[in-house]
Amino acid sequence: MQQRDYSTKKSHSGMGLANINSIKNKYENMTISYEIPKGYFDFYLVIEPEE
């Protein structure tokens, strides 16, 4: 799901989660989680303050 060009939607490029994942790899203080409860896609992005 996080791979480039993956999409479950017609006419979408599938770049969203792949882009977010590459950004996350640059920042230690950023966490990402997602789930699909009851058919809805929930996405959580948390950026902690730098110490």
Side-chain angles (χ1 to χ4, degrees):
M1 189 183 304
Q2 296 177 4
Q3 295 177 351
R4 186 178 179 158
D5 299 327
Y6 178 90
S7 180
T8 59
K9 302 173 192 164
K10 292 183 179 180
S11 302
H12 279 247
S13 63
M15 296 293 293
L17 291 178
N19 283 340
I20 290 293
N21 213 27
S22 68
I23 293 168
K24 178 191 171 287
N25 290 334
K26 295 178 184 178
Y27 301 97
E28 293 180 9
N29 60 332
M30 183 174 166
T31 57
I32 297 171
S33 64
Y34 53 87
E35 55 187 52
I36 306 173
K38 299 179 184 178
Y40 292 95
F41 184 84
D42 291 342
F43 176 84
Y44 302 94
L45 174 113
V46 178
I47 303 172
E48 299 288 338
E50 292 184 25
E51 295 180 9

